[in-house]
Amino acid sequence: MNDSPGRAVPGPSPSDGERPGAPDGQDGGTEGAQAPAQQPPAGGPKWSAEQPPPGEWSSPGTPQAPQSPQTPQPPHQQPQPGAGWGSYAGPRPGQGQYGPYGSPGGPGQWGKPPAAKPGVIPLRPLDLGEILDGAVATMRSHWRSVLPITLVVATVVQVISVLVQKYTLSDLPVTSAEEPSLSDVADTLGGSMLALVANGFIQLIGTIVATAMLTMIFSRAVLGHASTIGAAWREARPQLLRLLGLTLLLGIGGVLLVGVLIAPGIALGNIGVGLLGGCVALPLLLWLGIKFSLASPALMLEKSSVSTSLRRSSRLVQGSWWRIFGITALTGIITTIVAGIIVWPLTAIGVAIGLVDAGPTALETGAVMNGWAPLILSAVGAVIAQTITMPIQSGVTVLLYVDQRIRREALDLELGRAAGLENYGSDAAAPPTGG
């Protein structure tokens, strides 16, 4: 009897020329020839001479009905190939290629079902570890494209930020030891607002450019394709104005929402009513922020408009708000801790150098924070931190978008074909590939 690979038939192997399962006195070579009956070893198990053929063994504790191996299995229903990531094939069947997610993928299969992995993630619904690992793996394997983008953007942002802080805030009256007048306070507030707006605008432009280019790099990394900086820029450039409009719309909408909710308290002069409006605004802003958190990758990868990307994000997040919120919050905590570990020691060194140069009185007036040493060292720490954390945050957002489309729209089948996997999804289970 020929054993299938990995499955050994219990009991002693039949001798050469002997037909398994034949009654005593018969072999496979000569009919009617007498052969001495083989006795099982003393004390060993007595197995039946009739064993089931290979391939019909069932998992322990899982009864299975016999199934003819010749019965053809119906192919999995596939979405028709579309033009890029923007195609929509309808909802994914609940018992599709992999069976119910989170449960055994089929008879004899336990745990996560096998899936192709042409790039940084397997083409199936992802868990938290796989999303974070995919973001870090993209940084590690495509660092020639990822790190220069974030390094240049972070450096430009921090250089301009240092210059603005040095020449806008260093001579403000609030930093002097003298008692400021009312006009001095107004000048101080005006200068602070100017610096704040300038820094915010610079960071907004830099973040938009970096996010757009990183989104393209991560989308190619999912397919196992490398992407150059020039290619990422050419793909992202047509959508930059729309991404800017989306970002401004979300920011202005959040400000207006807070203003509407706290306006009654301001109008009535009642602090309690204003605080109540603020307490209502915070969770509402959080809910809307997660609801539209996938609008950016939807706009970039589907080449859609601002309104369409907002609707797409709302549909993709629906029913998974808490899951996306948890992954986003955990990513924010991780990146904040990493940034703090890098920035705060350098800032402390800069403050110590400033105290040595300016003397202890500079700490009382706050002038030490506007010295070159603390500003430069803080900027160096911020550049290093943003170079590391910006790709992680962008990558997690893109992979969350991909994961939601896999769960709802069977995007994994389209990605498998786009990655060059022939007939991917046509069988009951696609064999995993390298990656």
Side-chain angles (χ1 to χ4, degrees), residues 293-315:
S293 61
L294 304 183
S296 173
L299 182 141
M300 296 301 301
L301 297 177
E302 299 180 17
K303 310 299 183 183
S304 61
S305 62
V306 173
S307 59
T308 302
S309 64
L310 291 173
R311 290 194 298 269
R312 288 285 288 143
S313 177
S314 177
R315 285 196 296 266

Side-chain angles (χ1 to χ4, degrees), residues 299-347:
L299 182 141
M300 296 301 301
L301 297 177
E302 299 180 17
K303 310 299 183 183
S304 61
S305 62
V306 173
S307 59
T308 302
S309 64
L310 291 173
R311 290 194 298 269
R312 288 285 288 143
S313 177
S314 177
R315 285 196 296 266
L316 290 174
V317 174
Q318 185 177 7
S320 302
W321 190 95
W322 283 105
R323 178 176 177 273
I324 296 175
F325 165 73
I327 295 176
T328 304
L330 181 60
T331 303
I333 292 173
I334 292 174
T335 54
T336 300
I337 293 175
V338 171
I341 292 174
I342 298 173
V343 173
W344 286 110
L346 292 175
T347 303

Side-chain angles (χ1 to χ4, degrees), residues 79 87-94 101 124-125 294 311-324 400-412:
S87 59
Y88 174 70
R92 186 188 188 100
Y101 302 134
R124 55 167 169 75
L294 304 183
R311 290 194 298 269
R312 288 285 288 143
S313 177
S314 177
R315 285 196 296 266
L316 290 174
V317 174
Q318 185 177 7
S320 302
W321 190 95
W322 283 105
R323 178 176 177 273
I324 296 175
L400 275 173
Y401 164 81
V402 174
D403 175 59
Q404 288 301 112
R405 288 200 61 182
I406 288 176
R407 292 171 182 268
R408 294 178 179 272
E409 303 171 6
L411 182 66
D412 52 333

Side-chain angles (χ1 to χ4, degrees), residues 165 344 347 350-351 354 362-363 365-375 378:
Q165 292 181 61
W344 286 110
T347 303
V351 171
L363 185 62
T365 61
V368 66
M369 297 305 299
N370 292 320
W372 282 114
L375 287 176
S378 297

Side-chain angles (χ1 to χ4, degrees), residues 31-389:
E31 295 184 0
Q34 298 294 328
Q38 294 186 359
Q39 299 295 332
K46 298 181 180 181
W47 299 95
S48 172
E50 297 182 0
Q51 298 292 334
E56 291 188 4
W57 297 88
S58 59
S59 301
T62 306
Q64 295 180 351
Q67 182 178 0
S68 173
Q70 288 80 15
T71 303
Q73 299 295 331
H76 176 65
Q77 185 178 359
Q78 305 176 31
Q80 296 299 323
W85 285 45
S87 59
Y88 174 70
R92 186 188 188 100
Q95 300 282 345
Q97 177 181 349
Y98 306 120
Y101 302 134
S103 62
Q109 299 178 4
W110 298 90
K112 292 183 179 179
K117 189 179 179 183
V120 294
I121 59 170
L123 299 184
R124 55 167 169 75
L126 307 175
D127 56 27
L128 170 63
E130 290 168 338
I131 291 176
L132 294 175
D133 180 71
V136 176
T138 303
M139 289 179 55
R140 185 171 58 248
S141 57
H142 301 276
W143 63 270
R144 290 180 179 86
S145 301
V146 172
L147 296 185
I149 293 174
T150 55
L151 178 61
V152 170
V153 170
T155 301
V156 172
V157 168
Q158 291 303 320
V159 167
I160 298 178
S161 177
V162 166
L163 295 177
V164 169
Q165 292 181 61
K166 178 63 179 177
Y167 294 107
T168 303
L169 302 179
S170 59
D171 297 329
L172 291 178
V174 75
T175 60
S176 64
E178 302 176 358
E179 187 69 23
S181 63
L182 184 60
S183 61
D184 292 337
V185 172
D187 292 339
T188 299
L189 294 177
S192 300
M193 291 299 297
L194 177 62
L196 181 63
V197 171
N199 284 332
F201 179 77
I202 295 168
Q203 292 183 7
L204 174 65
I205 298 299
T207 302
I208 287 175
V209 173
T211 300
M213 298 178 68
L214 290 175
T215 299
M216 297 305 173
I217 294 176
F218 274 92
S219 66
R220 287 183 169 270
V222 170
L223 303 176
H225 299 165
S227 180
T228 62
I229 297 177
W233 169 251
R234 287 191 298 270
E235 294 178 357
R237 184 174 54 188
Q239 293 293 101
L240 285 178
L241 289 180
R242 291 181 177 179
L243 184 59
L244 175 62
L246 173 65
T247 306
L248 291 176
L249 178 61
L250 293 176
I252 295 175
V255 172
L256 291 178
L257 178 63
V258 174
V260 169
L261 291 176
I262 65 175
I266 297 177
L268 297 175
N270 192 324
I271 299 178
V273 175
L275 291 177
L276 180 61
C279 292
V280 174
L282 289 179
L284 189 56
L285 282 176
L286 178 61
W287 178 74
L288 290 174
I290 298 299
K291 184 180 181 65
F292 299 124
S293 61
L294 304 183
S296 173
L299 182 141
M300 296 301 301
L301 297 177
E302 299 180 17
K303 310 299 183 183
S304 61
S305 62
V306 173
S307 59
T308 302
S309 64
L310 291 173
R311 290 194 298 269
R312 288 285 288 143
S313 177
S314 177
R315 285 196 296 266
L316 290 174
V317 174
Q318 185 177 7
S320 302
W321 190 95
W322 283 105
R323 178 176 177 273
I324 296 175
F325 165 73
I327 295 176
T328 304
L330 181 60
T331 303
I333 292 173
I334 292 174
T335 54
T336 300
I337 293 175
V338 171
I341 292 174
I342 298 173
V343 173
W344 286 110
L346 292 175
T347 303
I349 294 173
V351 171
I353 295 174
L355 287 175
V356 171
D357 293 340
T361 56
L363 185 62
E364 299 177 359
T365 61
V368 66
M369 297 305 299
N370 292 320
W372 282 114
L375 287 176
I376 291 177
L377 288 179
S378 297
V380 170
V383 168
I384 298 174
Q386 290 180 3
T387 302
I388 297 174
T389 59

